Amino acid sequence: DAGITQSPRHKVTETGTPVTLRCHQTENHRYMYWYRQDPGHGLRLIHYSYGVKDTDKGEVSDGYSVSRSKTEDFLLTLESATSSQTSVYFCAISEDPAGPQHFGDGTRLSIL
Amino acid sequence: EDQVTQSPEALRLQEGESSSLNCSYTVSGLRGLFWYRQDPGKGPEFLFTLYSAGEEKEKERLKATLTKKESFLHITAPKPEDSATYLCAVQANAGNNRKLIWGLGTSLAVNP
């Protein structure tokens, strides 16, 4: 299994609070991705990174920001959480943008 | 518009009863098609990548095939441990080549 650790695995928080999710990899892969998975929508890309301090937006980036200060860590921040951001969040990594992505086991986030 | 459609949405098989899952796609130039397996509470697990029509890949009881419009995941003599959701994703040659377009998956249940 690819060495990808997501933390926390579960979180419940209130609307308006800031939330940060962490993805840590031990594979030294250059590319990292944040997705959310919701019933009826499948996996949707939030943000991705193609190197340290190099990030770009995905298809559902509003309300989210990311940072990558080290190869192994990719952080996803919800500055002011809303109930519509209740979801399961997955981090993925890849060696090559055209190659397969490998996923962590996700963070289940509930915003009340 | 680039699109991926998986069918059926759900499939129930008896152990040993072979079947196929379908992934139909419309994309402006296929760069690659990916199959994943996802178990409840886990992240997607990479199975296969297919790059060109006529290509086939096999792994244990699974065989993936690709045409210019669709891919099939054939499951031969399935076992209960093959129960999972199977996801298909495509990557286009044009535009942002890091973006995967995901289907909604086929939920497979194999009864003993």
Side-chain angles (χ1 to χ4, degrees), chain B residues 27-112:
Chain B
V27 66
S28 49
L30 180 70
R31 185 165 187 161
L33 183 144
F34 304 86
W35 280 101
Y36 287 82
R37 168 196 172 123
Q38 186 173 22
D39 294 297
K42 298 284 189 178
E45 175 188 349
F46 170 69
L47 294 173
F48 304 110
T49 308
L50 301 167
Y51 291 107
S52 57
E55 189 175 0
E56 298 182 352
K57 295 273 182 75
E58 284 190 70
K59 180 180 179 181
E60 296 181 353
R61 295 176 294 282
L62 301 177
K63 179 180 177 180
T65 62
L66 181 65
T67 72
K68 290 186 177 180
K69 294 184 178 180
E70 59 191 348
S71 176
F72 290 94
L73 185 65
H74 307 278
I75 304 176
T76 302
K79 299 182 177 181
E81 53 262 42
D82 294 322
S83 298
T85 296
Y86 290 85
L87 300 172
C88 170
V90 300
Q91 192 173 53
N93 268 323
N96 185 337
N97 63 11
R98 295 174 183 84
K99 181 184 174 185
L100 291 179
I101 305 154
W102 292 86
L104 297 183
T106 293
S107 176
L108 174 66
V110 182
N111 297 325

Side-chain angles (χ1 to χ4, degrees), chain A residues 4-75:
Chain A
I4 307 167
T5 304
Q6 291 187 235
S7 59
R9 292 295 317 278
H10 302 272
K11 187 173 182 66
V12 180
T13 191
E14 294 184 347
T15 299
T17 60
V19 177
T20 296
L21 308 183
R22 181 182 184 236
C23 178
H24 178 79
Q25 61 145 329
T26 58
E27 305 297 320
N28 201 37
H29 285 355
R30 179 179 174 186
Y31 298 90
M32 298 186 76
Y33 311 83
W34 276 109
Y35 288 91
R36 59 180 291 176
Q37 188 175 40
D38 305 285
H41 289 279
L43 282 159
R44 292 181 290 176
L45 182 65
I46 305 171
H47 282 280
Y48 63 94
S49 170
Y50 46 97
V52 174
K53 298 186 179 178
D54 291 324
T55 65
D56 206 348
K57 296 178 180 181
E59 60 184 306
V60 289
S61 59
D62 288 349
Y64 302 95
S65 63
V66 290
S67 65
R68 191 169 178 199
S69 59
K70 298 185 291 185
T71 298
E72 57 266 36
D73 290 326
F74 192 31
L75 304 180

